[in-house]
Amino acid sequence: MAKKVLGLVLTLFILAGCYIAIPERITTKQPEGQETLQKAEEDTAEQKQEDHTVFDLSIASIGDSLTKGVGDETEKGGYTSFLLDRLEEAEGIDKIEFTHYGKRGLSTEGLLGKLENNTLTPVIENADIIIITIGGNDVMNIAKENYRSLKMEQFTDGIEEYEKNLHAIIRAAREINPDADLYFVGLYNPWRQWFADIKEFGRIMELWNENTGQTVGLYDDVYFVEISPLFEEGDDNLIFEEDYFHPNTKGYQLMGEAVYEAIQENSLPEE
């Protein structure tokens, strides 16, 4: 029965379109050896201040409709606008440059093609950080192709091709920009709030997220940003009510926070 409902619901969504002070020198007479210790402490403080350099940061965001910001009622660009707000507050960052390519309906195969044919070269070639949202349309494409007789096995089988494409995407991005940190944003279950009793939805996203995390974990300086829990905790509606698929502004805000925390942990110098 769950499989029939799964097929019916997915069919409906497909049709919908789916950023030290140096202490003053104490002039009173110090015990023997104390002056040397104080001077060493001052030199250390001065060195820390010199080492804390201001830097510029270049970020490229590429991928599907989540990169485009579909569903953000403010029309400010989705998660990237909230990420920019947090980065502007971070210590040490002077200038932040964002380059951007988001295409609605883009799959891993489509993204790979745009990397291989140099469409995305101007976007990512000078970036310090590349953020990628991809995979949701791979799941939806399986649903479109099999909507008359959807089975869990079709989604588990589709992971093999998805994983192959992920490896190729990482290699292609590295060919263009070998030095950037790569961040892959995970998938979420957009239907949990309305169809919590149909466990297959959540299990599909869980399996694909597990695969993404394992795949990117094989590479240096490539990271997985888990966002699924953000859409599973609490009672707030995080889905755009005009399509019941994309995040709304609040959903994108939480996504931006998750991406910022990952970047802060892995790519920014310690404060």
Side-chain angles (χ1 to χ4, degrees):
M1 178 62 182
K3 294 179 180 177
K4 291 184 179 179
V5 177
L6 171 63
L8 176 59
V9 172
L10 285 175
T11 299
L12 292 175
F13 284 105
I14 292 165
L15 295 175
C18 343
Y19 180 145
I20 297 176
I22 301 174
E24 295 182 2
R25 183 182 298 276
I26 299 174
T27 57
T28 57
K29 186 177 181 180
Q30 302 294 329
E32 185 177 357
Q34 185 66 33
E35 183 176 352
T36 301
L37 176 60
Q38 181 182 326
K39 181 63 167 62
E41 290 174 345
E42 290 174 352
D43 290 345
T44 299
E46 290 175 356
Q47 186 62 47
K48 286 183 178 179
Q49 193 173 53
E50 291 174 1
D51 290 345
H52 188 71
T53 56
V54 175
F55 60 95
D56 296 339
L57 188 64
S58 177
I59 299 179
S61 59
I62 60 175
D64 53 26
S65 54
L66 301 189
T67 295
K68 195 173 180 65
V70 175
D72 178 8
E73 295 96 338
T74 67
E75 298 184 352
K76 292 182 179 180
Y79 82 89
T80 57
S81 65
F82 296 102
L83 173 60
L84 180 59
D85 289 342
R86 291 304 310 273
L87 289 170
E88 288 178 340
E89 298 170 356
E91 185 177 350
I93 302 177
D94 184 16
K95 298 178 182 179
I96 304 171
E97 179 184 5
F98 257 102
T99 53
H100 173 273
Y101 181 93
K103 182 176 176 60
R104 201 165 184 164
L106 194 66
S107 66
T108 53
E109 182 179 3
L111 178 60
L112 177 59
K114 293 186 180 300
L115 287 166
E116 292 179 337
N117 68 17
N118 296 321
T119 297
L120 294 176
T121 298
V123 181
I124 72 170
E125 62 182 341
N126 296 314
D128 302 304
I129 294 170
I130 302 170
I131 309 169
I132 302 171
T133 64
I134 205 71
N137 290 303
D138 293 67
V139 174
M140 290 305 296
N141 287 342
I142 293 173
K144 290 177 183 179
E145 294 168 3
N146 303 279
Y147 74 96
R148 292 186 182 276
S149 58
L150 278 175
K151 298 177 181 179
M152 189 70 176
E153 292 79 8
Q154 294 159 347
F155 294 95
T156 55
D157 291 344
I159 291 178
E160 183 177 348
E161 185 68 17
Y162 171 70
E163 178 182 348
K164 176 183 174 182
N165 289 340
L166 285 182
H167 284 291
I169 286 169
I170 294 171
R171 290 194 297 267
R174 282 278 179 256
E175 284 287 327
I176 298 170
N177 185 335
D179 300 319
D181 291 348
L182 273 61
Y183 290 84
F184 283 82
V185 181
L187 306 179
Y188 63 95
N189 177 11
W191 306 294
R192 183 198 66 85
Q193 184 173 352
W194 291 275
F195 305 104
D197 56 323
I198 304 178
K199 305 302 182 183
E200 285 87 351
F201 290 144
R203 184 56 182 156
I204 289 167
M205 299 306 178
E206 182 180 340
L207 287 171
W208 285 60
N209 280 330
E210 287 175 358
N211 181 272
T212 304
Q214 292 168 2
T215 300
V216 304
L218 299 174
Y219 298 86
D220 293 334
D221 302 321
V222 184
Y223 308 99
F224 175 62
V225 183
E226 177 70 83
I227 64 169
S228 182
L230 304 177
F231 291 83
E232 296 175 358
E233 301 169 354
D235 298 323
D236 291 343
N237 175 29
L238 304 179
I239 303 300
F240 186 46
E241 292 188 349
E242 289 190 17
D243 63 15
Y244 295 99
F245 185 77
H246 294 93
N248 58 19
T249 300
K250 179 63 176 178
Y252 278 120
Q253 181 181 7
L254 295 180
M255 283 181 60
E257 182 69 27
V259 174
Y260 170 76
E261 290 177 358
I263 290 175
Q264 182 186 45
E265 178 179 356
N266 299 294
S267 299
L268 299 185
E270 294 184 5
E271 296 181 2

